[in-house]
Each structure stands twice: as C-alpha cells, then as structure tokens.
Amino acid sequence: MFPIQLGQMASLLGGRLIRGNPRTPVRHTVYGGTRYLRDGVVLILHPKQNVQRQLKGLYEKKSAGVIVPQGWQHRIPSSHAVITVPDTNQAMWTLVRWQRAKSKAIFIGITGSAGKTTTKEMTAVIAAQRYRTLKSYANNNLASLLHYHLLRLTPRHQVAVLEMGMASLGNIRKQCLYAKPSIGVVTNVGEAHVGSLGSSLANVVRAKQEMVDGVQPGGTLILNVDDPGTRKLNTRRFRGRILTFGIKHPATVRGSHIQYTKAGMTFRVGGALYQIPTWGHHNVYNALAAITIGRQLGVSVPAIQQALRTFPVPKMRLQRLRGRRQWLLINDAYNANPTSMEAGLGVLRRVAGKGHSVAVLGDMHELGKFTQKGHRDVGRVAANLRPSLLITVGPQAAQIAKAAVTAGYPANQTRSFANHPAKIAAFIYKNVPAGSTLYFKASRKVELERVVKRLR
C-alpha cells in the first residue's frame, strides 16, 4: 500500500491510537482475516465475520496493529497495537478511497455478461508488457470485494485492471465510484444474472449502463459494435472518447480471417496476425477488446501479439485437459448462460471436426423468467450443431434435450441425469469411444467439474 504510519492511519480514519508506536510503518492492510498477518500488516477487524477466528489468529501472529470498534480494545492481545474507530467497515472504505486518491495509475474497468475474466486476464498481460500492472484476483468482481484489490495498490503500480461484475443494480456504480476508471469496457450485454435483476433484460442493460456512466470525464469507453445488447446502452451523455471492437461491422479494432487451430485461434487485425491459446469466436471478441485497450495504453503490436500468445487461460473456461482413453476434455464449467453455452457448442463442433463429440450440459441458473426459454434455445442450437451425444445434468437442463429432440435431434443420442457425478462418469465410460472430444458447461452451482475429474 502507500506509505503511512500507524498514527497517521488513526488520524485518517477518525480513530484513536490506544496502544502502540505512532511511527510504526504500515506496509499492508487486510480486512477480516489473519491469513496474511505479519510484521508491517494492519488488520481491520470485521465484527460480523468469524470474530473468534480473527481473535484467535491474533494470538498466533504478529502485526503492525489492529483496528477495532470502540470498546473492543480489551479483547486484543497486548502484543498488538490498537486503533479504535466508530465503524471498522467505514474505516476500511475510507482507507480504500485514500489509496485510490494517492494512486497515479491508469484504472481500467471491465464488465459484461460474458468474457469479463478472460478479457481482464488478456488485458493485464498486455499492460504488463509496458507497465507495472495490478489486476483483480480470479473473478472476485463484486463491490463487496473491491477492497481486496485496491488495498494492494502501491506507488509502483502504473495500471490497474479490474473486473467488475454485479449481483444487483448499483454494484458496478459503487465500484466505479471507488476505482474511478479512466478506461471502461463492456464486452457484451446479455441474459447472464437476469434472474438477480428482477427477470428483466432491461435491468441488465441498466446495470451495464453504470459502467458507461462511471468512466471518468475525458476517459475512454470501449464497446462491442456487433453486440445487440450493447447497442441499447445510452452513450449520449458520455464525455470522452468511444472506441469499438468487432468482426461483423466496421470498428476501431476489427478482426478478420478467423481460424481454429489445434492450440486455439488465429485472426488478423489489419495486417497483424494474432494467436490466442483458447478456442471460440467469443474469445476472439475478448482479445479484440484487450487489443483495443492495449492500443490505448500505447503498447506496441509485437508486444500485444506476444502477450496474447501466452496469456494464462482461466481455469474451467474452455480449459483443455487430457482424459483417459485418449479423450480431449474441454472444461468450460465455471459458469454458463445461453449465449456462452451456445458459443461453447460451436467450439465443440469445430474442435471435434468429424470425430466423435459429446456435449455435457448442466442447469443454467439466475435466468429468472427466461429459464425455460434459455434452456430450450440451447437445445435448438444443439440440434443444429449435432454433437454425437448430448448429455444433460439437472432438472432445468433436461429441457435442452427435449427441445433438441423436438428440433430433430435423434432421441437415442440424448441422456438426461440428475446431478450424480459417479453415474454420469460411468455412463460416459460405457458409451463414449476412445479419442472423443467432450465439452462440459453449466452454472457454477452444478459443479460439473466433478464429472471432469472422474474422467481424467
């Protein structure tokens, strides 16, 4: 974090240093957990989350100090300095605001109904070619988790790449309020999480509009020109530069000559050839968004090409795994919505080619009133793309198989299961020939990776 001493921190947070040396330097601050506690690290105690575990950790570890609610100082071991404040949660957010105000880094916010994490990973690798870069961990992308990222800011960071998701309206707005991005990206606007927003696609648009409105005046907004949902965003009041990426329509950064390879995808932007180590047209879109950001940051074309060739593909997002019996397992089971599942079926068809292909598709959650329609739409796409075998997992996903059969897919090539990984794996072992390509996709709660694990 930025340099600060314990006494200065107490003053900043409107608290009192009850115990300890005010000149003690603080190197880092954590909120509500003692796992990373050590000399130089301050713990802001979370009074509503595993209090006994936090207090126990203080007996086992050292710290630069502990920030507690007023009246709690006697519960803290005497080996730790203590700052008391009226509200520890408010103190944490005050420190987050202070961190952001001290930082001169370029902040990039990335949101969208699909592709956020992959685009964030691509962007962070591109930015790191030229700048010291901070990125948000994994897919910890809600406002309630933003402090984990911003408290890691140091004076050395020149770029911060933040994935911004939402569990409700106002979530992205709050993240923008604290992070103040000067570059904002919307990968697409679709049906993901529609059930969390009152079962209305219009509310998904409203949620993503918060990124448009949250980019700092004079900043840059980057949008998917091919995405129908993105075109519903209102940019008339945006005071800054708007850049676009796409394939089908003219764009600031437009991809062409897209091809599948054994290792991923290749495509061109102008005269430059790019490669990414993952499959799917949707991942080309993610790469185009990242290229647009890289250009805005002044990263050279060769550096962007190198970064995209080697970026770390997030786990369980079109992750290639070696299965038994020479199977190729494509683990795309981190999460799902109809758009991403349909894209994944297209990947399966292209990767398997003329070989035996198996689609293992589970329930898609958070679709609200679109639940039945979303699963049936996927079924119709499956019928058109014709995998050799269609396996569904869960009561909602059974609608995928039914819709596929109604659309002309052979009923004897479908099988629907409850979520029993052992039974599903046993069926696959008995019915799927060696050398097949198997694709797995479902919402997070299904934990379809449990089936994948049994097949490796």
Side-chain angles (χ1 to χ4, degrees), residues 108-131:
I108 302 165
I110 299 173
T111 193
S113 296
K116 294 184 295 294
T117 302
T118 300
T119 303
K120 179 257 297 183
E121 293 293 339
M122 290 175 169
T123 299
V125 174
I126 289 172
Q129 301 293 307
R130 180 173 178 179
Y131 304 97

Side-chain angles (χ1 to χ4, degrees), residues 308-427:
L308 289 178
R309 277 197 299 270
T310 59
F311 96 95
V313 178
K315 290 183 178 180
M316 295 197 293
R317 291 175 173 87
L318 288 174
Q319 183 182 14
R320 294 172 292 171
L321 299 171
R322 215 178 259 184
R324 299 183 185 183
R325 304 183 65 187
Q326 297 180 317
W327 289 328
L328 170 61
L329 311 177
I330 305 176
N331 183 359
D332 200 23
Y334 186 81
N335 216 337
N337 59 59
T339 300
S340 63
M341 192 173 279
E342 290 166 11
L345 286 168
V347 169
L348 172 62
R349 180 179 183 180
R350 296 299 296 267
V351 173
K354 296 181 179 180
H356 193 89
S357 61
V358 181
V360 185
L361 308 178
D363 288 348
M364 294 179 287
H365 298 149
E366 300 182 347
L367 296 179
K369 68 180 183 181
F370 294 96
T371 297
Q372 189 173 71
K373 180 181 183 299
H375 287 85
R376 288 179 174 177
D377 286 348
V378 169
R380 286 187 281 270
V381 171
N384 182 53
L385 295 177
R386 292 288 174 124
S388 308
L389 177 63
L390 174 61
I391 298 173
T392 67
V393 181
Q396 301 298 336
Q399 293 291 325
I400 296 174
K402 291 178 181 178
V405 172
T406 300
Y409 187 83
N412 63 356
Q413 292 175 219
T414 71
R415 183 67 184 268
S416 294
F417 288 89
N419 195 2
H420 296 301
K423 292 182 180 180
I424 299 166
F427 175 81

Side-chain angles (χ1 to χ4, degrees), residues 128-141:
Q129 301 293 307
R130 180 173 178 179
Y131 304 97
R132 293 189 183 277
T133 301
L134 172 76
K135 68 175 181 178
S136 51
Y137 280 138
N139 73 318
N140 294 333
N141 59 22

Side-chain angles (χ1 to χ4, degrees), residues 55-334:
L55 293 174
K56 180 182 178 182
L58 291 174
Y59 283 96
E60 300 170 348
K61 296 189 176 184
K62 297 180 179 180
S63 76
V66 184
I67 300 172
V68 299
Q70 293 170 351
W72 283 53
Q73 56 265 36
H74 301 298
R75 303 180 67 176
I76 307 303
S78 59
S79 57
H80 297 272
V82 177
I83 295 173
T84 61
V85 296
D87 185 319
T88 55
N89 186 67
Q90 186 58 47
M92 180 272 292
W93 286 113
T94 297
L95 189 59
V96 167
R97 282 195 299 268
W98 178 81
Q99 280 272 101
R100 177 63 185 94
K102 298 284 285 186
S103 178
K104 296 181 180 178
I106 300 169
F107 274 69
I108 302 165
I110 299 173
T111 193
S113 296
K116 294 184 295 294
T117 302
T118 300
T119 303
K120 179 257 297 183
E121 293 293 339
M122 290 175 169
T123 299
V125 174
I126 289 172
Q129 301 293 307
R130 180 173 178 179
Y131 304 97
R132 293 189 183 277
T133 301
L134 172 76
K135 68 175 181 178
S136 51
Y137 280 138
N139 73 318
N140 294 333
N141 59 22
L142 300 180
S144 59
L145 304 173
L146 184 63
H147 63 276
Y148 288 118
H149 315 310
L150 295 192
L151 289 178
R152 292 190 290 120
L153 272 173
T154 73
R156 299 178 67 193
H157 288 124
Q158 299 168 296
V159 169
V161 185
L162 302 176
E163 177 183 344
M164 296 185 178
M166 51 85 182
S168 60
L169 289 171
N171 208 288
I172 295 171
R173 180 184 298 114
K174 182 175 181 179
Q175 293 182 71
C176 289
L177 179 67
Y178 282 96
K180 301 184 184 302
S182 60
I183 298 176
V185 184
V186 181
T187 59
N188 46 56
V189 179
E191 63 284 283
H193 309 296
V194 67
S196 304
L197 298 172
S199 298
S200 170
L201 282 170
N203 279 341
V204 179
V205 176
R206 286 177 60 195
K208 302 309 179 186
Q209 180 70 36
E210 293 171 8
M211 175 63 77
V212 177
D213 299 336
V215 174
Q216 295 297 288
T220 301
L221 183 64
I222 298 174
L223 302 175
N224 183 343
V225 74
D226 291 347
D227 179 54
T230 300
R231 289 196 288 271
K232 296 179 181 178
L233 297 172
N234 184 353
T235 60
R236 291 192 297 272
R237 293 176 296 177
F238 180 71
R239 292 178 292 165
R241 186 182 185 195
I242 298 178
L243 304 178
T244 58
F245 63 93
I247 297 169
K248 301 174 184 177
H249 299 93
T252 310
V253 174
R254 187 176 188 181
S256 64
H257 299 86
I258 299 165
Q259 294 185 345
Y260 278 75
T261 72
K262 291 183 178 180
M265 306 291 290
T266 63
F267 61 95
R268 289 187 175 276
V269 176
L273 178 67
Y274 293 87
Q275 304 171 35
I276 54 175
T278 187
W279 291 301
H281 277 68
H282 58 297
N283 277 316
V284 174
Y285 276 103
N286 296 335
L288 293 173
I291 292 168
T292 309
I293 300 168
R295 285 186 175 185
Q296 185 70 8
L297 295 175
V299 182
S300 69
V301 169
I304 296 174
Q305 290 170 316
Q306 172 62 21
L308 289 178
R309 277 197 299 270
T310 59
F311 96 95
V313 178
K315 290 183 178 180
M316 295 197 293
R317 291 175 173 87
L318 288 174
Q319 183 182 14
R320 294 172 292 171
L321 299 171
R322 215 178 259 184
R324 299 183 185 183
R325 304 183 65 187
Q326 297 180 317
W327 289 328
L328 170 61
L329 311 177
I330 305 176
N331 183 359
D332 200 23
Y334 186 81

